[in-house]
Amino acid sequence: MKTVLSTSPEDDQGAQEPASPVRPTGLRFLTGILLASPLLHGAALGLGREWLNFGSHRPWDGLVYFAAAPFVGILMLRRHERARFSVYVLLSCEIVRAVRLSSIPLGVLAAVAILYLQLPSVRQIHPPVDTDRVLRRIGLRRESRT
């Protein structure tokens, strides 16, 4: 006697969803730092210490670490189509801040993270933005009828 464990339509047709690629450790670490940035910034503020740019009393820095960085982290967790681009923007701002603060470690870490996002294993998880699709969505390019 044969026992059926699953009765989903995919089992009947023999089709399976492709396995999603494993998220590299560095990408998990970067996502974790972005998600934890409010805690890191709050702890640095509470201790009265500045580390990299965490603990800065500038309102813009608070906005970045309490709102923007966790938002980008959520985009990365959800594998949103614009996640990698959002990280580029955020890290580019960190490089500009590093130059303003004369913080070599902050600039180097941001630049290394940007270079890391160029690796094939990361690009597999977060592919580039499909510009044709974006232009069609905002009405600057029409659907091609082939």
Side-chain angles (χ1 to χ4, degrees):
M1 181 170 176
K2 188 175 180 181
T3 305
V4 177
L5 298 176
S6 176
T7 58
S8 69
E10 292 82 21
D11 291 340
D12 294 338
Q13 298 168 359
Q16 293 179 346
E17 271 188 41
S20 61
V22 175
R23 191 181 298 256
T25 303
L27 195 54
R28 281 188 245 156
F29 180 74
L30 179 59
T31 303
I33 292 294
L34 291 171
L35 292 171
S37 69
L39 298 173
L40 295 170
H41 190 61
L45 284 171
L47 294 172
R49 304 272 183 177
E50 281 197 35
W51 177 68
L52 298 174
N53 202 28
F54 292 116
S56 166
H57 291 281
R58 293 177 195 90
W60 175 252
D61 294 335
L63 178 67
V64 168
Y65 295 125
F66 285 127
F71 180 75
V72 171
I74 290 169
L75 290 178
M76 290 183 69
L77 266 182
R78 298 181 71 200
R79 294 186 181 180
H80 191 276
E81 65 181 327
R82 293 191 198 113
R84 202 174 80 198
F85 175 75
S86 300
V87 175
Y88 288 145
V89 171
L90 185 72
L91 293 175
S92 297
C93 290
E94 286 297 308
I95 291 172
V96 170
R97 247 193 305 266
V99 169
R100 184 192 75 208
L101 298 171
S102 300
S103 174
I104 292 172
L106 177 62
V108 168
L109 286 172
V112 165
I114 288 174
L115 291 173
Y116 174 75
L117 291 170
Q118 300 303 312
L119 293 177
S121 60
V122 175
R123 292 173 71 90
Q124 184 180 11
I125 302 289
H126 295 290
V129 173
D130 183 357
T131 53
D132 285 339
R133 187 172 158 212
V134 172
L135 291 174
R136 282 193 304 271
R137 186 172 47 238
I138 63 175
L140 295 177
R141 190 171 287 171
R142 293 188 178 171
E143 294 281 336
S144 62
R145 298 174 193 228
T146 55

